[in-house]
Amino acid sequence: MAFLCVNALKRSRFCFLPIDVSRCFQVRMQTGHRVNQVSTVRCQVSCHRTAKVAVIRDFRHTVRSGTGRPPLLPRSFVETPPSLHSPPVLKHHGHHFHTSAHLKGLPAAAVWMVLKPLQKLAAAILGRSIRKWWVALPANRRQLFREWVWQRRWHLAALAGVAMVILSLLLLTHLDESPLTGRTRLLVFSRESYLELAALTAEAYMEEFAELLLPVTDVRHQVVERVVQHLAQRNKDIPEVSDVSWTVHVVQGPTVNAFVLSNGEVFVYTGMLETVTDVHQLTIILGHEMAHALLGHSAEQASLSHILDLLSLILLSAIWALCPRDSLAVLGHWVQQKLSQLMFSRPYSRKLEAEADQVGLQLAAKACADVRAGPVFWQQMEIRDQLSGEPSLPEWLSTHPSHRNRITHLDRLIPQALELRESCVCPALPATDPRAVFSETVRVLLEKNKREEAHAAAPIHGLPPVPAGLPAALLAPNSLPASSHVHQENKTSV
């Protein structure tokens, strides 16, 4: 037991002065005199903890006349006998102490991500334990328990009401206003905690993409860098933009994607650069991704997910308690998760995407981009998906709006974005609307393809046959230009 205690002390993070600390002092007192003045000791403590022992590096004190008690000294050493009059003479040995560096804790959002699966596991175990307990009860005990619950039904109802009031107060005290749109939202996690989490996420991405990142001398990296910095410069009147240092990373890969972390780390795949037609589309896409970061959508989504998970713990425990078998409980758990996603998480995600489209179009308009090219990009994506033959999910199953709804939404926002662009003293736009150019281009291609198919000719320029349902989706008057045939006037730089 003594051996274990010694090892425990050795492994402790605290630093203790050695028992023979008095050896660091040489005290010479005159016989028959009291010490009525206590020297003030100034010491700094340094604890360097190795794997097994705490090493005391240095200790130093300075003796001055005055009253008080020297810190870190035993009480018996400080309390002086009343018969002495001259102070003790202390000699110090050159030791110096420092406090060890504080350990940096994980952000609250990261802690929640770790505890999230454990909460669900605990709820399932609790519900299963209640079911086992109820099955093991005799019939008379069950009847007594039912009568006990019925007699105290009003007390239980009052308790549930108090819980609902507390939950409502919790939600009301965490309401926040979106910085750019003024929308009221729920934020359980602060922006600061998510900035810390974003820094950790950025480090993980940098390690993952270490071999795929393009050098800063690459032309593609320089293009993205110029667009991002231009967006930041033209929108510097927004505090959320000017307070962030925007850093660009271009990843070599075919994925058509780009994302921006809350701390301003911008990641763009080369597949996205190959998909966009001109710099205007790239500006609108990057404005959309920057809008997610400015509005704090990641913290907002995590807050909603956190509240839903806490509320679902009660339902999860009830499922495991009421289902007679574990297999049915697992099925019920799966159904509960899917319903939560379809009813809350995915609709809310689509709402945030629409908001990012709106704010991103405004950022691009202030950067003097041709905002009419925004719907063209999603028209291109619609054609790409149809030509690739990839099955598209219905919108209610997706976290993003469908391409067609996105085009319609952007078309409604373009008049307001054009007015904002004009108020920013931007160069005049070409008279030709990119959407009209794109619609006409697609119409000509489809007609030519139909004529050649009628004569059993090969597809146009080696392209695969156009799907039968494509014309109706593309020939709408609000379509956009998104191919290499886009009018050259629309390819001016921002």
Side-chain angles (χ1 to χ4, degrees), residues 13 68 106 361 490-491:
R13 290 182 178 270
L106 291 175
L361 202 64
N490 297 319
K491 293 189 175 182

Side-chain angles (χ1 to χ4, degrees), residues 174-189:
H174 285 83
L175 292 180
D176 184 68
E177 185 177 290
S178 182
L180 299 178
T181 62
R183 176 177 55 86
T184 302
R185 58 183 180 173
L186 177 67
L187 275 186
V188 176
F189 302 107

Side-chain angles (χ1 to χ4, degrees), residues 237-354:
D237 57 310
I238 304 175
E240 288 77 12
V241 176
S242 58
D243 293 344
V244 175
S245 177
W246 303 95
T247 306
V248 172
H249 310 282
V250 180
V251 183
Q252 180 72 46
T255 307
V256 184
N257 191 22
F259 58 92
V260 179
L261 301 180
S262 302
N263 61 344
E265 299 286 339
V266 182
F267 291 85
V268 181
Y269 287 88
T270 54
M272 175 62 75
L273 301 179
E274 296 169 0
T275 303
V276 296
T277 301
D278 52 30
V279 71
H280 301 287
Q281 292 186 6
L282 180 60
T283 303
I284 294 171
I285 294 301
L286 292 177
H288 168 89
E289 299 301 333
M290 290 174 66
H292 278 304
L294 301 178
L295 297 170
H297 282 171
S298 56
E300 190 173 344
Q301 280 188 305
S303 299
L304 175 66
S305 179
H306 182 62
I307 296 299
L308 291 178
D309 286 340
L310 291 180
L311 295 178
S312 65
L313 293 179
I314 302 175
L315 181 59
L316 181 59
S317 299
I319 290 174
W320 280 87
L322 297 177
C323 290
R325 294 192 301 272
D326 290 346
S327 57
L328 293 178
V330 172
L331 179 60
H333 184 194
W334 180 82
V335 171
Q336 178 259 332
Q337 283 184 319
K338 295 304 177 183
L339 288 177
S340 176
Q341 292 177 1
L342 296 178
M343 295 175 62
F344 300 102
S345 300
R346 293 183 181 177
Y348 198 76
S349 177
R350 294 194 294 269
K351 177 182 177 180
L352 297 183
E353 289 293 330

Side-chain angles (χ1 to χ4, degrees), residues 105 109 162 214 227 312 383 472:
V162 170
L214 298 184
V227 172
S312 65
I383 296 176

Side-chain angles (χ1 to χ4, degrees), residues 426-467:
C426 294
L429 291 174
T432 306
D433 193 329
R435 296 169 291 177
V437 174
F438 181 78
S439 180
E440 180 64 19
T441 301
V442 172
R443 186 186 66 80
V444 172
L445 288 175
L446 290 176
E447 289 180 355
K448 186 176 182 180
N449 186 63
K450 287 181 180 179
R451 287 196 303 267
E452 294 194 0
E453 282 183 348
H455 293 83
I460 304 174
H461 304 302
L463 294 176
V466 179

